[in-house]
Amino acid sequence: QVRLVESGGGLVQDGGSLRLSCVLSGRTFSSYAMGWFRQAPGKKREFVAGISRGSTPRFADSVKGRFTISRDNAKSTVYLQMNSLKLEDTAVYYCTADAVQLGLPTTWKYWGQGTQVTVSS
């Protein structure tokens, strides 16, 4: 069974940076596309970034140019580097995985428990 564990969340000032990490265990990491979603209070969960098995990234328009996503297959870890953070980036960030063959899935199968990111003024 796939297990996803996020880390790296916390409190950061407006304009600051954070790096989130997510470790996949239970299956072969390289066989999974990986992604990050977020959910702010009172809002729907939204896609932030994803990276395919072949390391092709995709980003939500709201984070393009500020966030990067990368994967380290040797460490079974996906990273979300968040720069120039804004107040509106405050949310719980969820790691997700899916064994889709190409690209990113329409729906993601596995989810982590989430990590809180709070951006303060």
Side-chain angles (χ1 to χ4, degrees), residues 94-106:
Y94 296 91
C95 178
T96 186
D98 192 275
V100 64
Q101 291 291 318
L102 294 174
L104 300 179
T106 303

Side-chain angles (χ1 to χ4, degrees), residues 68-82:
T68 59
I69 187 171
S70 60
R71 62 188 298 155
D72 186 337
N73 288 346
K75 295 183 178 180
S76 299
T77 302
V78 62
Y79 303 98
L80 184 69
Q81 178 66 45
M82 305 184 293

Side-chain angles (χ1 to χ4, degrees), residues 44-80:
K44 293 182 180 179
R45 189 174 297 188
E46 64 176 2
F47 173 80
V48 175
I51 187 166
S52 70
R53 292 171 60 176
S55 295
T56 300
R58 187 189 303 171
F59 299 94
D61 288 344
S62 59
V63 306
K64 280 181 182 176
R66 300 188 298 121
F67 290 11
T68 59
I69 187 171
S70 60
R71 62 188 298 155
D72 186 337
N73 288 346
K75 295 183 178 180
S76 299
T77 302
V78 62
Y79 303 98
L80 184 69

